[in-house]
Amino acid sequence: YDVSVITGERKLAAVRGAGLRAVGLRSIGADSLEKIANSSTRVGSNPALLLAQFRENLALLPAIRDELLAMWRAERPDLVVADSVAPVGGLVCDALEIPWITTVASPCAVENRSGVPAYCGGWTPGWPARDAVGRFCIRSFKRAVAWYFRREFGLLGGPFPYREDGTERIYSARAILGFGISELEFPRDWPASFEMIGPVYVQEDPM
């Protein structure tokens, strides 16, 4: 396989050090993403700060989307693996009809239809009515955020956050690979395209 890893400037050396071809995004500055994640003010659960941080992230995505569109029109990949924290890659694939899959390091964020709801891992199982209310609240919150940022999402080629069949737009309909093991999860269903592939770790060379 001819593998290329598309990333920000800070990660290029690490990717090349692993023996892979690294492609840097020119549409964002060297520290653009890091500055948002590592702000000088503690964000915590402050809704105003969370919204501001989310808006900063959204502001970067149209330029990244345009760069990926140009890149993949010039050199079309056979398959794209888009991490769940970089869903813009999947959106570009949808626009260009390129097959793509999602990797997700936090499977607890993937929505379900039965069992403990996504984002509610602290809840114990066995309360179907409570779980149904939890799922309703989570989906309602996501729809409210999508409506609030409807202009920004429109630039990315919505609709958001769900497809017509109810599946989440930021995850691939073809395959979602979760970095975990089912034995550590409470009983719950997963999307048809979801599969646990075990934890992923890097073994350092002792030399």
Side-chain angles (χ1 to χ4, degrees):
Y1 300 97
D2 180 15
V3 178
S4 298
V5 178
I6 301 174
T7 186
E9 184 176 321
R10 277 179 169 267
K11 301 296 188 294
L12 293 177
V15 173
R16 290 167 181 152
L20 296 170
R21 177 188 174 201
V23 179
L25 288 169
R26 298 184 300 274
S27 53
I28 56 174
D31 296 319
S32 297
L33 296 173
E34 284 78 6
K35 284 181 179 177
I36 295 174
N38 303 316
S39 61
S40 57
T41 304
R42 184 179 182 276
V43 174
S45 57
N46 184 307
L49 294 178
L50 285 169
L51 282 174
Q53 192 177 52
F54 190 55
R55 183 178 282 108
E56 289 182 77
N57 272 286
L58 288 177
L60 296 176
L61 298 186
I64 296 175
R65 179 180 185 271
D66 291 345
E67 184 174 358
L68 291 177
L69 280 168
M71 186 185 304
W72 289 342
R73 281 172 176 154
E75 186 178 354
R76 183 183 179 88
D78 295 314
L79 177 71
V80 170
V81 179
D83 192 78
S84 61
V85 299
V88 67
L91 302 180
V92 173
C93 288
D94 284 342
L96 298 178
E97 298 184 346
I98 296 172
W100 65 288
I101 64 178
T102 301
T103 56
V104 53
S106 301
C108 63
V110 180
E111 289 189 20
N112 59 357
R113 293 173 297 177
S114 66
V116 175
Y119 305 103
C120 299
W123 290 5
T124 55
W127 301 86
R130 178 210 59 188
D131 294 342
V133 172
R135 272 186 289 276
F136 173 79
C137 292
I138 289 166
R139 292 177 76 87
S140 297
F141 174 77
K142 288 184 178 181
R143 287 192 173 104
V145 171
W147 179 85
Y148 186 80
F149 290 103
R150 59 193 180 280
R151 185 186 67 82
E152 290 86 350
F153 281 129
L155 297 175
L156 300 175
F160 283 94
Y162 301 104
R163 300 183 181 92
E164 291 183 0
D165 63 1
T167 57
E168 295 180 88
R169 183 85 190 278
I170 67 169
Y171 301 122
S172 168
R174 174 182 296 265
I176 307 170
L177 305 181
F179 298 155
I181 56 177
S182 299
E183 289 82 358
L184 291 180
E185 301 290 335
F186 285 135
R188 54 176 294 190
D189 70 342
W190 303 95
S193 58
F194 181 88
E195 180 181 357
M196 288 285 198
I197 61 171
V200 175
Y201 64 95
V202 178
Q203 183 175 357
E204 297 184 2
D205 186 346
M207 301 301 290

